[in-house]
């Protein structure tokens, strides 16, 4: 009625009559899909940014070097059996795998470091538990022994000894037995089966006071004797943050090798562990970024197809080395 009245008075002029639309004004699938895509992308980027800001777990070589204040000497990939908590020395079981090659790369880095400074005794530790320090130490001992050096692995994690499981050796008698004058050092050092020049000093019975035993004059004497009989002494230490054992052991060694697990170790924990060792004057040689996957970081071994069999470091060469070299125990060893 209002429109009719306005038309009659001349206030409204009819231009064209309204027509029935041939298509609905809404919804518009193409336009709505485009808007949804843009909104979803913006939301995803925002969530990813927030996650990266609040999640301080180490995932790259650069972040590890920044948090630890030391160079990353090697990046070792995640081995599937480690997820099932099965001890595995991959340098023995899979000598041509990228994982085994990464330990040889770590050996090369340490050999260069030994040219610049005296390095006969090395502690291997990590900020927290279950970050792969014992597996790294076991594989590192194997590759050094395969390179012709006399190596002894010392199981100094007196709270949770596990090193013997990697080689199928019993740890009922070992370091604590010697520290308590229950056994002689020569009796407790065991040759590792199948690997010449490699020996193991087991942990022995778990004591009620590990830190006090490791800080004793008797412990210093044991490490001095091991230095005299072996080219390299590798010490398996408990984690740095929960207990003080690693700080004590670092004073018996020439340097410390820190381990961090990709996607597991937090930047703050690695930084605190380094600070704790710095307080006792420990020399941190470098860091190993362990358990690297395609999701947690870049790894040099993917897709190149290089294997160590072409360079004579496979099982055949190990067998030849075993034929040319004798037992690796302390007995019948002359001091260097």
């Amino acid at each position: 009625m209002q429109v009719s009245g306005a038309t009659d008075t001349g206030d409204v002029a009819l231009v064209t009559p309204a027509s029935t639309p041939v298509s609905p004004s809404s919804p518009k699938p193409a336009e709505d899909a485009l808007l949804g895509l843009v909104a979803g992308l913006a939301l995803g980027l925002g969530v990813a940014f927030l996650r990266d800001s609040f999640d301080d777990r180490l995932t790259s070589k650069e972040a590890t070097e920044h948090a630890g204040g030391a160079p990353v000497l090697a990046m070792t990939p995640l081995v599937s059996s480690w997820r099932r908590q099965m001890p595995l020395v991959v340098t023995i079981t899979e000598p041509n795998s990228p994982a085994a090659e990464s330990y040889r790369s770590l050996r090369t880095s340490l050999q260069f470091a030994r040219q610049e400074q005296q390095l006969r005794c090395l502690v291997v530790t990590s900020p927290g538990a279950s970050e792969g320090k014992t597996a790294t130490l076991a594989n590192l001992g194997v590759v050094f022994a395969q390179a012709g050096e006399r190596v002894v692995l010392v199981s100094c994690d007196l709270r949770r000894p596990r090193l013997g499981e990697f080689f199928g050796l019993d740890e009922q008698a070992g370091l604590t037995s010697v520290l308590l004058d229950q056994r002689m050092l020569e009796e407790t050092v065991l040759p590792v089966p199948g690997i010449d020049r490699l020996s193991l000093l087991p942990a022995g019975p778990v004591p009620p006071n590990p830190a006090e035993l490791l800080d004793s004059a008797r412990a210093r004497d044991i490490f001095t004797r091991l230095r005299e009989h072996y080219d390299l002494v590798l010490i398996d230490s408990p984690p740095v943050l929960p207990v003080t054992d690693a700080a004590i052991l670092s004073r018996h060694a020439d340097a410390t090798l820190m381990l961090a697990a990709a996607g597991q170790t937090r930047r703050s924990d690695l930084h605190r562990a380094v600070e704790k060792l710095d307080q006792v004057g420990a020399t941190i040689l470098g860091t190993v970024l362990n358990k690297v996957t395609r999701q947690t970081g870049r790894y040099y071994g993917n897709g190149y197809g290089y294997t160590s069999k072409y360079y004579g470091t496979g099982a055949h060469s190990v067998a030849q080395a075993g034929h040319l070299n004798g037992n690796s125990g302390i007995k019948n060893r002359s001091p260097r």
Side-chain angles (χ1 to χ4, degrees):
M1 292 176 61
Q2 292 175 349
V3 171
S4 276
T7 303
D8 294 340
T9 58
D11 294 335
V12 174
L14 182 61
V15 178
T16 56
S19 60
T20 304
V22 296
S23 61
S25 60
S26 65
K28 299 178 180 179
E31 183 177 340
D32 292 344
L34 181 60
L35 291 175
L37 179 62
V38 173
L41 181 61
L43 181 61
L45 291 174
V47 171
F49 177 78
L50 290 175
R51 181 179 178 181
D52 184 68
S53 299
F54 290 102
D55 185 6
D56 68 341
R57 289 177 294 183
L58 297 169
T59 57
S60 67
K61 174 179 177 289
E62 294 76 15
T64 305
E65 290 179 339
H66 183 266
V72 171
L73 301 180
M75 297 173 65
T76 55
L78 177 66
V79 179
S80 58
S81 64
W82 293 350
R83 297 177 180 176
R84 302 188 294 270
Q85 301 299 315
M86 293 175 58
L88 174 67
V89 185
V90 70
T91 49
I92 298 177
T93 59
E94 301 177 21
N96 297 326
S97 64
E101 190 60 35
S102 69
Y103 290 112
R104 296 187 188 98
S105 174
L106 175 58
R107 178 189 64 192
T108 302
S109 298
L110 294 176
Q111 286 173 335
F112 276 107
R114 295 171 73 188
Q115 294 177 358
E116 299 177 358
Q117 65 183 39
Q118 182 182 11
L119 184 59
R120 297 284 298 277
C121 187
L122 182 67
V123 172
V124 179
T125 188
S126 61
S130 302
E131 293 176 329
K133 60 178 180 57
T134 304
T136 298
L137 181 136
N139 284 282
L140 191 59
V142 170
V143 295
F144 266 107
Q146 291 174 345
E149 299 200 36
R150 294 173 300 173
V151 183
V152 60
L153 309 178
V154 186
S155 182
C156 282
D157 191 344
L158 302 183
R159 302 169 191 269
R160 189 189 172 191
R162 195 163 177 254
L163 184 57
E165 298 179 18
F166 284 83
F167 302 102
L169 297 175
D170 188 12
E171 295 201 59
Q172 292 301 316
L175 179 61
T176 54
S177 306
V178 180
L179 290 172
L180 298 174
D181 291 325
Q182 298 174 350
R183 293 285 187 92
M184 299 293 293
L185 180 60
E186 292 80 4
E187 300 174 352
T188 55
V189 176
L190 306 175
V192 174
I195 304 295
D196 292 298
R197 309 182 195 90
L198 181 63
S199 301
L200 170 68
L201 176 56
V206 177
N209 55 340
E212 288 75 12
L213 285 178
L214 295 175
D215 199 23
S216 63
R218 178 68 170 161
R220 287 191 291 273
D221 177 65
I222 290 174
F223 289 113
T224 299
R225 293 174 60 187
L226 291 175
R227 287 170 181 264
E228 294 173 351
H229 288 84
Y230 291 92
D231 300 320
L232 183 62
V233 180
L234 296 176
I235 301 175
D236 183 28
S237 166
V240 177
L241 297 181
V243 293
T244 189
D245 300 19
I248 295 173
L249 289 169
S250 66
R251 299 200 301 241
H252 298 316
D254 299 317
T256 300
L257 183 65
M258 184 67 70
L259 206 74
Q264 177 180 340
T265 304
R266 298 188 177 277
R267 296 182 181 93
S268 56
D269 289 343
L270 178 58
H271 185 70
R272 286 171 52 211
V274 171
E275 283 186 339
K276 193 172 181 179
L277 292 179
D278 284 340
Q279 291 172 357
V280 297
T283 300
I284 299 179
L285 192 63
T287 308
V288 176
L289 186 59
N290 191 34
K291 300 184 180 181
V292 175
T293 64
R294 293 180 183 272
Q295 289 74 30
T296 58
R298 300 182 299 274
Y299 178 56
Y300 74 92
N302 288 333
Y304 285 90
Y306 289 118
T307 60
S308 56
K309 65 181 179 181
Y310 301 109
Y311 301 97
T313 56
H316 179 67
S317 297
V318 175
Q320 289 180 339
H323 178 73
L324 297 175
N325 296 279
N327 192 288
S328 58
I330 280 186
K331 295 181 179 180
N332 301 324
R333 293 292 184 193
S334 59
R336 286 177 61 86

